Amino acid sequence: MIDVKCRLNGKEHTLRGHSMARLLDVIREEAKLTGTKEGCGEGECGACSVLIDGVLVDSCLVPLAQVQGAEITTIEGVAHSKHQKLQQAFIEHGGAQCGICTPGMIIASAALIDRCQGRVPNTAEVREALAGNLCRCTGYMKIIDAVQAAAKP
Amino acid sequence: MIVGTKIPRKEGLQKVTGAARYVDDIVFPDMLHGVTVRSTAPRGKIKAIHFAPSIRWNEFTVITAKDIPGKNYVALITYDQPFLADTVINHPEEPVVLLAHHDKHVLEEARRAVTIEVEALPPVLTIEESLAKTQIVWGQDNSPHENIFKEYTVVKGDVAAAFARQDVSLFEAEYATGAQEQLYIENNGMIATYSAQDGVTVWGSMQCPYYVHKGLLPLFALGDDKVRVIQTETGGGFGGKEEYPTLLAGHAALLAMKAGKPVKMIYDRQEDMAATTKRHPSKTRVKSAVTKDGDLVGLDIDFVIDGGAYNTLSPVVLSRGTIHSAGPYHTPNVRVHSRAVATNSPPHGAFRGFGAPQSIFALERHLDEVARKMALDPVALRKRNFIRQGETTATSQTIREPVDLAAVLDKALAAADYDAKKKRFLAMNPSSVVKRGIGFATFMHGAGFTGSGEKTLASVVGVEALANGHVRVLAASTEIGQGTNTVFAQIVSDTLALPYDMIDVAQPDTRDVPNSGPTVASRTCMVVGKLVQSAAIGLEQTLVNAGDYKHGAGADAFAAACAKYIAKHGSLKCYSQYQQPANVEWDDKKYQGDAYATYAWAAYVAEVSVDMATYEIRCDDFVAAQEIGRVVHPVLAEGQIEGGVAQGIGYAIYEKVVWKEGRMANGQMTNYIMPTSADAPPIRVLFDEQPSPHGPFGAKGIGELPMDGPAPAILNAIAMALDVSPRAIPFLPEDLMALVKK
Amino acid sequence: MRANVSKYELVTPASLADALKLCAGGHKPFAGGTDLMVLFESGKLPPGRYVSLWGLSELRGITADDAHITLGALTTYSDVRVNAVIAKEHPNLCAAAKETGALAIQNRGTLGGNIANASPAADSPPALLVAGAEIELRSLAGTRWVAYDGFHTGYKQTLMQAGELITRVRIPRASDRVSYYRKVGTRKAQAISKVCVAASAKVKAGVLSDLRIALGSVGPVPLRCKHTEAVLVTRVIDAQAIKEARDAVQKDIAPIDDIRSTREYRLTVAQNLVAELALRFVAS
């Protein structure tokens, strides 16, 4: 077992677990933040997306030992950030149906909006940015609408 | 009016903030984790179960069929599927042993340390083998029905006479569809507890709490009040959480009972894909008789679906597929013969569309082939034969409500710029490596249970008023992403003229809500929604009769009236039960009559491009036009259509289950390919509204409809682009190569 | 999750020197985790001790001198995608990076890890083969550079010896070349390739020289198609040349049937794409 010091949603945190433990499990079981979901356990579906130092990752593919000193943002951290607007847009535009991909989808969208620095991404950019986040409910149209609406300054 | 507006989804905030609690997010103190040990052979006899000595088994809770306190069958239509295989193995994912332990990591090692010794028997793995009866794997009784779960024959007019006419051309071809995985992003999962006092309680991801309830009663030999089933937030279903959760709930509860502790069982993706239900593979032989002007005077259809190892819902899936097989056409002479057969793969089950996408694929491909061979315009051919008001379907059901499918088709074609594109593609294709095509399909989809299904279900819905005037809908119909909570709240809000925020929907819990039937068959908004409306009217009437309230008097007056009533009577609830409308009649023996109270009507247009260097197929644009009665919530309704279309695109050109000895060999999201956001095309959704008397505010069912059209529309587009006749889905690049290289 | 996490140890070394010591002692290297974590979760990663390379700054960074572009082994696909020099001189490599998985994978997957993992279906090896890449291998015993062509010796086998780490990858500076990259993988993102082709050449008056073609997913290792290259250089690319090239492809590759595709499809598409790239090159 190791102790890993990091910042989780803006707060200092010590995460305890096996060095190889999936960040996904540590976030859910140790930090009790269950907004991050497991969909496939192989880096395909993106339901477990989080940001590490602002960079989009699949938390099922990150071992605990690799987040020493990192800044981790989960869906629970988005509600208190500038990306709250994204959450509102997902509700208004119908971007969330069953909701299980939604936290990961919003995290990936937040990363895209950050990269765009105030510019509204075009549809092709949104499609590419979210291609690692599978949604079985929406056909993606309403998600794209939501992201573009939220990206407007 | 809230109905018709895009009011925010009831549980939207919880979902976008990550606060919504799905079953895997719930933890009980002292909870164990459970896993399933499965057979490895598709068919055989269990000789022994070996537990390797490397594991300290006394730390584990171990369950086999011998531990079952009641009956070892999953109570559904028939009682053939065991919760745990005892002596016989009928498919390669058959559950045999259950294990529980507090440490899920140790549990995986234990799972690998159990060996099921099976004396293998030769399996039946395809529809052809099953029909040929190479082995009898189900219903051994020396009757013609061996290996056959269910058989239907539908007859309208005189098919033989139509085919014997001198003025018709005859066409015949066989079409096939593959299995499809529902691929909800939340895997199946359950938590169970047991105590002598309260009996069994399960929480989990499911569509049909009362199916689970019904299944657990005989398993534990407990009374109604000793089994309680609670639906947790559910991350997608699409039919995949219709019947299977009963099995998993039973497993978790068996472990919980023996361990005396809560037990959580969450499938990982690989187990969920391999072991749970998929869409039935099918074969359809279509024969048609068509006059030179394009009148479809005869259809003779033989439809077979692969049910897998146990009966489960196959008879009902077959029924819907059978009834939809003749399409939205008024063909005077129709014969449909259909069978669901047994094979040694895991049972195939409910999946959005429920048999209809299979048979509709066959007919809509066939009609395009007929048009090509007769040099008729496929649009004109369809329009000539569309059912109009007053005409009859294959089951001789007279369509009483107004219908204008030709107008829906025109709308779709115009939006897709069909004529111009078709012309342009035909001109450009000969000189291009990338060939383009545009195709369409027209179809209908019946809303609600088939035939007398709704009458038999006799669903009940309750509405409860609280002292503060808030109203709660009490129903077992689940929110699985489609918008149940929102739509029910809209209906009550408008019925009672109360603000949307005053309406809540109770969590489906069999202790607290009546059985409003399963969340399936495009019935929740139309059938259950109508009951919600009538219960709400009843509730208001109670207050009016008490002399304390007048309709439209406002939220405050309503709250005051509720408070007064509750102070006097303790509570205020009103229930409503389904009554078959007087003019809806169904003959289950002849399979004739009003198969569904009403239908949605649709025309879908797909545009594709095919790269002849790689045979890669892309759907570039999609238009989905449909008449669905009153649109209760435009954003949710569009979302249903768009999501269904994306699944249909997957069904057509991406999603292939690779079978090896009855087992799914590609049970990972890496190797079973569903469309990503980079693959799905823009989808444009168009609605016509022809309010139906059968649903609240004129609504009809829409959930399954969008699954029916994409596959035939896309394959018709490919056929146009390449002048070929693809007859099977999924149609992958490998299949296209084989077809064009021939 | 099918692994028993308590049977694994992932050690974080303070420096490359420490990592090499650990490797010499039997620890196995672990970089961005995009391959190994998938194996781990499916219960297929051998239990034992691993060394995390992710934090080693010595293994990061892309630099260019007159002769080479040198990439640290921990260079991610995302790093490659946005590098202007690589984009200009070796666009195949950028294209490969862009087509690997999706963004979250590109942010964690590393070039060194991809090479060491030695999957015949990986997306960047064909581009590296065409670029003429060399691999730096380091151990406590010393450092050696090996040509990437020939690095993969068999299915999931490489020239790496026990205790060795991939530390850098270098590719020669290039100019005045045409290039071609195409990944065929059923869907546009999150796909494992069924066939993957990279090529580059010099073109003068419709004639190709120094043609390099490499394919992935068509044999036990990513491979150069030297018969095919020989057929297509220093001649007019006409129907006869294309026919000969298609035949040569058959000699160069050894595709198989698996759950993702078929032998016949892979062969046919490889032949089609070789024809496509040759015609595109001479037309450019």
Side-chain angles (χ1 to χ4, degrees):
Chain A
M1 298 289 249
I2 57 168
D3 286 320
V4 167
K5 283 197 168 53
C6 58
R7 286 178 70 81
L8 182 55
N9 296 329
K11 287 191 193 124
E12 297 294 334
H13 239 279
T14 301
L15 295 172
R16 168 149 261 255
H18 289 286
S19 53
M20 196 73 140
R22 306 184 300 177
L23 178 59
L24 167 66
D25 295 329
V26 179
I27 290 170
R28 288 176 53 84
E29 294 166 16
E30 274 290 302
K32 314 262 188 250
L33 297 175
T34 55
T36 304
K37 307 299 181 189
E38 173 167 0
C40 69
E42 54 174 6
E44 280 298 310
C45 76
C48 67
S49 298
V50 301
L51 304 179
I52 296 182
D53 298 325
V55 174
L56 179 70
V57 304
D58 295 318
S59 64
C60 75
L61 298 184
V62 178
L64 177 61
Q66 292 190 341
V67 295
Q68 187 76 255
E71 167 91 49
I72 300 164
T73 307
T74 70
I75 187 66
E76 289 87 352
V78 172
H80 309 290
S81 77
K82 61 181 191 287
H83 292 303
Q84 197 189 355
K85 205 174 154 192
L86 252 175
Q87 293 176 314
Q88 206 49 47
F90 265 69
I91 298 175
E92 276 170 26
H93 292 267
Q97 286 192 25
C98 85
I100 196 82
C101 77
T102 309
M105 210 50 100
I106 288 176
I107 290 283
S109 305
L112 170 67
I113 289 174
D114 284 343
R115 287 197 301 279
C116 287
Q117 298 179 328
R119 185 175 60 82
V120 178
N122 65 36
T123 302
E125 284 175 288
V126 180
R127 285 186 181 277
E128 193 204 347
L130 301 183
N133 293 75
L134 299 179
C135 171
R136 192 59 156 171
C137 292
T138 62
Y140 305 106
M141 297 295 290
K142 306 257 175 272
I143 291 174
I144 297 167
D145 290 348
V147 174
Q148 290 179 325
K152 285 190 185 123
Chain B
M1 285 289 277
I2 305 283
V3 166
T5 68
K6 47 181 195 178
I7 194 118
R9 171 184 281 275
K10 269 282 166 189
E11 76 293 352
L13 187 64
Q14 288 92 314
K15 284 177 173 172
V16 301
T17 53
R21 306 268 281 166
Y22 299 79
V23 61
D24 199 20
D25 303 335
I26 296 166
V27 174
F28 286 134
D30 205 21
M31 185 177 78
L32 306 182
H33 298 274
V35 294
T36 316
V37 186
R38 299 176 185 278
S39 159
T40 50
R43 181 165 174 247
K45 289 181 183 152
I46 299 176
K47 304 309 284 182
I49 303 171
H50 302 288
F51 294 85
S54 56
I55 302 288
R56 274 177 286 186
W57 291 107
N58 59 353
E59 292 179 2
F60 290 78
T61 305
V62 181
I63 295 269
T64 66
K66 313 265 178 293
D67 295 296
I68 289 175
K71 303 283 192 206
N72 185 12
Y73 56 70
V74 183
L76 202 56
I77 294 171
T78 52
Y79 297 166
D80 57 334
Q81 182 181 21
F83 273 94
L84 290 169
D86 191 3
T87 54
V88 180
I89 295 292
N90 284 314
H91 68 80
E93 303 292 344
E94 191 105 64
V96 182
V97 180
L98 305 170
L99 305 173
H101 193 276
H102 71 270
D103 180 349
K104 57 183 166 187
H105 303 304
V106 175
L107 202 50
E108 279 300 329
E109 291 185 329
R111 168 147 70 173
R112 284 194 285 266
V114 180
T115 315
I116 318 285
E117 190 185 328
V118 177
E119 180 192 324
L121 290 169
V124 160
L125 299 174
T126 64
I127 285 175
E128 289 78 7
E129 286 171 12
S130 185
L131 286 174
K133 304 190 200 294
T134 55
Q135 298 288 321
I136 303 305
V137 298
W138 196 86
Q140 193 154 27
D141 61 359
N142 291 316
S143 81
H145 301 295
E146 286 179 323
N147 282 356
I148 294 177
F149 293 125
K150 191 74 186 181
E151 185 165 10
Y152 298 109
T153 307
V154 175
V155 176
K156 173 190 179 188
D158 185 342
V159 169
F163 278 72
R165 276 168 60 164
Q166 298 299 307
D167 63 337
V168 298
S169 302
L170 303 182
F171 302 91
E172 178 174 352
E174 188 174 279
Y175 305 86
T177 64
Q180 186 186 19
E181 166 60 31
Q182 293 88 355
L183 217 70
Y184 32 71
I185 307 295
E186 181 208 26
N187 290 318
N188 270 287
M190 288 283 168
I191 301 174
T193 61
Y194 175 82
S195 73
Q197 196 189 336
D198 297 330
V200 168
T201 306
V202 295
W203 291 257
S205 183
M206 67 184 81
Q207 293 175 227
C208 311
Y210 275 96
Y211 276 7
V212 177
H213 190 260
K214 176 185 170 183
L216 296 186
L217 295 178
L219 176 65
F220 292 97
L222 289 170
D224 272 16
D225 59 333
K226 295 288 189 213
V227 171
R228 182 179 168 197
V229 179
I230 303 158
Q231 184 228 2
T232 51
E233 198 72 68
T234 296
F238 317 114
K241 293 171 184 169
E242 177 170 348
E243 72 273 33
Y244 195 88
T246 306
L247 197 69
L248 182 54
H251 290 168
L254 285 168
L255 284 166
M257 181 186 236
K258 188 162 180 182
K261 292 178 180 181
V263 173
K264 179 192 263 191
M265 293 184 80
I266 306 287
Y267 285 171
D268 67 8
R269 180 57 60 181
Q270 203 168 344
E271 183 168 24
D272 196 291
M273 289 181 87
T276 74
T277 57
K278 292 172 204 38
R279 185 185 301 287
H280 291 69
S282 78
K283 289 263 154 72
T284 308
R285 178 157 287 277
V286 183
K287 296 182 201 170
S288 59
V290 186
T291 68
K292 68 174 181 1
D293 297 329
D295 287 333
L296 190 54
V297 296
L299 270 177
D300 189 358
I301 295 167
D302 188 70
F303 176 54
V304 189
I305 62 173
D306 174 354
Y310 297 110
N311 193 27
T312 62
L313 295 172
S314 288
V316 200
V317 173
L318 183 69
S319 163
R320 190 175 277 270
T322 301
I323 291 166
H324 285 77
S325 67
Y329 307 106
H330 60 59
T331 317
N333 306 290
V334 180
R335 179 171 57 203
V336 186
H337 175 224
S338 64
R339 286 162 291 178
V341 302
T343 62
N344 295 111
S345 62
H348 295 298
F351 190 164
R352 194 179 208 166
F354 212 68
Q358 288 95 318
S359 62
I360 289 172
F361 168 74
L363 184 67
E364 284 303 298
R365 266 283 39 243
H366 185 78
L367 290 182
D368 252 37
E369 293 186 357
V370 167
R372 266 219 349 269
K373 285 181 186 149
M374 296 187 72
L376 292 169
D377 173 10
V379 174
L381 175 68
R382 301 307 201 295
K383 283 186 177 172
R384 209 176 165 88
N385 293 286
F386 281 149
I387 290 181
R388 290 172 291 257
Q389 191 175 17
E391 293 179 333
T392 60
T393 68
T395 63
S396 305
Q397 171 174 7
T398 303
I399 300 298
R400 298 187 191 90
E401 295 169 30
V403 54
D404 190 352
L405 187 48
V408 177
L409 176 56
D410 283 338
K411 198 174 196 173
L413 295 174
D417 198 14
Y418 174 85
D419 289 328
K421 277 187 174 162
K422 188 170 177 179
K423 224 175 262 169
R424 196 163 76 233
F425 296 162
L426 285 171
M428 285 166 44
N429 280 345
S431 61
S432 174
V433 176
V434 176
K435 316 278 188 204
R436 291 174 177 278
I438 189 162
F440 70 95
T442 47
F443 53 100
M444 62 183 191
H445 198 98
F449 259 61
T450 304
S452 44
E454 291 295 346
K455 196 171 155 187
T456 310
L457 276 175
S459 299
V460 178
V461 165
V463 170
E464 177 178 21
L466 308 178
N468 62 1
H470 278 239
V471 176
R472 286 198 333 148
V473 176
L474 308 173
S477 305
T478 51
E479 167 67 60
I480 55 173
Q482 82 284 45
T484 302
N485 292 343
T486 307
V487 167
F488 283 178
Q490 285 179 286
I491 291 167
V492 174
S493 171
D494 276 356
T495 303
L496 299 181
L498 292 174
Y500 176 72
D501 291 342
M502 283 178 71
I503 319 300
D504 304 313
V505 178
Q507 179 177 35
D509 176 340
T510 56
R511 191 191 61 184
D512 302 335
V513 302
N515 186 356
S516 60
T519 305
V520 303
S522 311
R523 67 186 292 275
T524 299
C525 179
M526 184 180 102
V527 179
V528 185
K530 186 91 173 169
L531 296 176
V532 168
Q533 186 178 30
S534 100
I537 291 169
L539 184 132
E540 188 183 70
Q541 201 54 47
T542 306
L543 295 176
V544 171
N545 291 347
D548 294 325
Y549 185 68
K550 256 174 67 184
H551 179 75
D556 292 343
F558 184 81
C562 289
K564 189 173 166 195
Y565 189 95
I566 291 165
K568 192 169 170 191
H569 300 281
S571 70
L572 173 52
K573 289 183 187 173
C574 184
Y575 292 89
S576 176
Q577 182 161 32
Y578 181 81
Q579 303 285 335
Q580 186 101 307
N583 61 351
V584 175
E585 283 172 32
W586 175 252
D587 181 336
D588 213 21
K589 290 210 175 71
K590 291 187 183 147
Y591 244 60
Q592 289 287 298
D594 298 315
Y596 301 94
T598 189
Y599 295 85
W601 308 87
Y604 284 9
V605 187
E607 186 184 325
V608 302
S609 55
V610 181
D611 185 323
M612 297 311 286
T614 61
Y615 313 103
E616 288 169 299
I617 304 160
R618 283 187 57 77
C619 181
D620 299 318
D621 189 35
F622 204 96
V623 173
Q626 48 260 303
E627 191 283 287
I628 58 161
R630 182 71 185 278
V631 176
V632 175
H633 191 298
V635 169
L636 293 184
E638 283 171 17
Q640 283 296 293
I641 303 301
E642 290 162 1
V645 166
Q647 287 180 348
I649 292 169
Y651 188 39
I653 55 173
Y654 292 105
E655 298 179 27
K656 178 177 185 170
V657 176
V658 179
W659 295 104
K660 278 197 181 135
E661 289 293 298
R663 159 173 275 160
M664 185 181 193
N666 58 334
Q668 309 93 27
M669 281 186 166
T670 316
N671 291 319
Y672 179 84
I673 306 296
M674 68 161 269
T676 71
S677 55
D679 301 291
I683 301 163
R684 284 171 287 156
V685 178
L686 309 170
F687 291 126
D688 267 358
E689 299 182 71
Q690 178 61 56
S692 164
H694 296 285
F697 301 97
K700 301 199 243 185
I702 62 165
E704 296 173 291
L705 176 80
M707 194 69 222
D708 295 341
I714 288 169
L715 277 266
N716 285 343
I718 295 169
M720 188 232 107
L722 304 177
D723 198 24
V724 292
S725 294
R727 290 180 178 154
I729 49 168
F731 191 67
L732 281 111
E734 288 80 359
D735 305 305
L736 174 59
M737 179 193 74
L739 197 65
V740 297
K741 275 182 106 180
K742 245 190 235 167
Chain C
M1 244 286 281
R2 299 190 178 189
N4 183 347
V5 67
S6 67
K7 303 220 162 152
Y8 298 80
E9 190 187 4
L10 183 61
V11 180
T12 309
S15 65
L16 178 57
D18 284 354
L20 291 172
K21 273 183 218 151
L22 288 164
C23 288
H27 278 66
K28 282 173 258 176
F30 187 111
T34 53
D35 283 312
L36 295 190
M37 286 301 280
V38 176
L39 285 178
F40 170 64
E41 296 185 29
S42 61
K44 290 174 188 151
L45 185 74
R49 291 174 303 166
Y50 292 80
V51 54
S52 174
L53 308 177
W54 186 254
L56 299 177
S57 55
E58 297 100 314
L59 301 183
R60 294 199 179 272
I62 302 174
T63 57
D65 60 22
D66 288 348
H68 293 102
I69 304 166
T70 304
L71 305 96
L74 291 184
T75 299
T76 64
Y77 303 107
S78 297
D79 296 335
V80 172
R81 272 186 76 161
V82 299
N83 186 280
V85 183
I86 300 175
K88 181 159 180 278
E89 299 182 21
H90 296 280
N92 287 337
L93 199 52
C94 289
K98 191 167 187 278
E99 299 227 9
T100 299
L103 283 187
I105 299 294
Q106 293 165 15
N107 287 338
R108 290 298 282 195
T110 66
L111 212 48
N114 200 221
I115 293 166
N117 188 55
S119 163
D123 301 319
S124 46
L128 290 170
L129 283 172
V130 163
E134 296 169 283
I135 312 293
E136 184 189 61
L137 298 172
R138 262 214 219 178
S139 68
L140 286 184
T143 301
R144 59 177 179 143
W145 281 97
V146 298
Y148 183 54
D149 192 1
F151 178 78
H152 298 290
T153 53
Y155 180 71
K156 292 255 175 189
Q157 303 289 309
T158 71
L159 290 176
M160 278 173 82
Q161 287 171 0
E164 274 188 325
L165 272 182
I166 296 173
T167 42
R168 288 190 291 178
V169 177
R170 72 181 178 203
I171 48 182
R173 302 297 299 257
S175 59
D176 302 325
R177 298 183 69 85
V178 288
S179 58
Y180 175 97
Y181 181 88
R182 189 136 183 213
K183 170 179 172 175
V184 181
T186 305
R187 68 181 164 196
K188 280 189 102 178
Q190 296 291 56
I192 297 181
S193 75
K194 295 171 172 179
V195 178
C196 173
V197 183
S200 85
K202 287 186 180 289
V203 192
K204 202 171 171 188
V207 174
L208 305 179
S209 62
D210 193 18
L211 170 64
R212 302 174 204 159
I213 302 172
L215 267 71
S217 289
V218 293
V221 298
L223 43 85
R224 276 281 290 274
C225 296
K226 294 188 179 166
H227 293 100
T228 312
E229 293 168 3
V231 164
L232 289 168
V233 289
T234 62
R235 68 185 286 185
V236 175
I237 304 297
D238 54 11
Q240 179 59 26
I242 295 293
K243 188 192 169 300
E244 287 173 33
R246 296 183 80 100
D247 292 343
V249 168
Q250 204 154 357
K251 278 191 225 162
D252 281 322
I253 68 175
I256 56 166
D257 290 337
D258 65 13
I259 55 168
R260 291 186 203 111
S261 191
T262 63
R263 180 192 172 280
E264 196 195 349
Y265 177 81
R266 290 179 158 118
L267 174 61
T268 307
V269 170
Q271 290 172 321
N272 292 352
L273 294 184
V274 163
E276 179 177 273
L277 74 89
L279 293 170
R280 269 194 211 170
F281 279 177
V282 293
S284 64

